[in-house]
Amino acid sequence: MAFMTENRSYEQLVAEGAAVPTEGWDFSWFEGRATEARPSWGYARSAGERLARAEAALDIQTGGGEVLGFALGGAGEAGPVLIAATEGWPPNVAKATALLRPRGVVVVAAPDDAPLPFADAAFDLVLSRHPVRPDWAEIARVLRPGGTYFAQHVGPSSVFELVEYFLGRQPDEVRGGRDPERERKDARAAGLEVVDLRAERLRMEFHDIAAVVHFLRKVVWMVPGFTVEAYEPQLRSLHERIEKEGPFVAHSSRHLFDVRKPTP
């Protein structure tokens, strides 16, 4: 059901979307205002099953720790003796620490583009949900022989209906970025074995302009430098379009990697 916004002006909705905190990866605020179909493989549930069998696990770019926390709940009483998580954005580091420390998780502040601050072969399971860019050489380095990298990546042209509404048609090399087959080749080049790779494109709907504003503030790489002031004409026009025609429809792109480090 769409959120009831009939009596709210454009200015009120934009102000609401601009005021919501953006820390972490909790998207519950969007309930009733925006929807996104979920991949069929159920990443967090599957990650929980793997955590239940792991001895030492690492979650790369954990965000606010919400997905890892959910996965740990799925692991039940079982789970790794050692579990660590990295995050590069300071507000998320604080949020993840508060959420995950009671679960025994060590949260390490580490820039997304820096080497992982762990010893070689430290983990038998490495997880990541929506990493900015997978560093396959570092993933291979910290995995034990026989260990697994299990992750959900953002795929090519994800939510580009919305991106290109604001930025115009993007170059083919941008639209084709995050290609799963290219990532498969890069993983193999790092000495890893791709056990399974699945990809899906999923419907998204934005039911009001507040949801658009909050989404672009939260997922900052979609429209770099986005502010309400800079894109006011486009926002107002999109608000009028949604009011007249109904939800703005876009499609997210996701792929699932199940990767193994071979044993000698």
Side-chain angles (χ1 to χ4, degrees):
M1 178 182 294
F3 197 84
M4 300 299 291
T5 61
E6 290 84 347
N7 297 323
R8 300 189 185 191
S9 67
Y10 164 79
E11 288 78 11
Q12 289 172 319
L13 289 168
V14 166
E16 186 175 354
V20 185
T22 57
E23 294 86 355
W25 290 116
D26 180 2
F27 284 77
S28 60
W29 179 87
F30 287 99
E31 185 174 353
R33 317 191 75 137
T35 60
E36 179 182 356
R38 297 301 179 192
S40 61
W41 48 73
Y43 169 77
R45 173 186 51 77
S46 298
E49 294 170 356
R50 289 164 184 266
L51 282 166
R53 303 191 298 269
E55 295 179 359
L58 169 66
D59 189 40
I60 298 174
Q61 297 175 29
T62 196
E66 297 90 349
V67 176
L68 178 58
F70 182 90
L72 284 170
E77 294 299 321
V81 174
L82 169 67
I83 182 162
T86 65
E87 175 53 35
W89 192 41
N92 275 351
V93 173
K95 186 169 185 179
T97 300
L99 179 66
L100 296 175
R101 180 182 289 169
R103 310 291 296 271
V105 180
V106 177
V107 178
V108 180
D112 294 340
D113 57 354
L116 293 170
F118 303 104
D120 296 356
F123 303 99
D124 58 293
L125 176 64
V126 174
L127 301 170
S128 193
R129 181 180 180 272
H130 302 176
V132 174
R133 186 178 296 105
D135 188 334
W136 294 109
E138 280 295 286
I139 292 166
R141 182 183 67 79
V142 301
L143 272 176
R144 297 173 183 171
T148 295
Y149 173 69
F150 185 74
Q152 180 175 293
H153 292 189
V154 176
S157 300
S158 188
V159 203
F160 260 44
E161 297 93 339
L162 187 64
V163 170
E164 294 185 336
Y165 175 85
F166 287 92
L167 299 180
R169 172 79 183 190
Q170 297 297 288
D172 288 345
E173 59 268 25
V174 175
R175 293 176 63 86
R178 300 174 180 265
D179 177 66
E181 289 303 323
R182 188 178 303 130
E183 290 185 353
R184 185 204 296 266
K185 292 178 182 177
D186 291 343
R188 288 173 172 169
L192 298 169
E193 175 189 355
V194 179
V195 177
D196 193 15
L197 173 57
R198 308 182 214 172
E200 293 182 4
R201 198 155 177 83
L202 305 151
R203 182 182 176 93
M204 300 178 69
E205 294 184 356
F206 294 88
H207 291 268
D208 68 26
I209 202 66
V212 173
V213 169
H214 182 46
F215 180 80
L216 294 179
R217 290 177 58 243
K218 193 174 185 73
V219 191
V220 295
W221 53 88
M222 289 291 175
V223 179
F226 172 83
T227 64
V228 169
E229 295 74 19
Y231 289 95
E232 200 279 338
Q234 295 97 320
L235 288 169
R236 189 176 292 274
S237 177
L238 183 54
H239 167 72
E240 293 171 355
R241 172 175 164 178
I242 292 172
E243 291 285 294
K244 181 180 179 180
E245 301 177 9
F248 182 88
V249 177
H251 296 83
S252 63
S253 181
R254 303 286 183 260
H255 50 275
L256 183 76
F257 267 107
D258 187 354
V259 175
R260 179 177 174 272
K261 182 175 181 176
T263 54

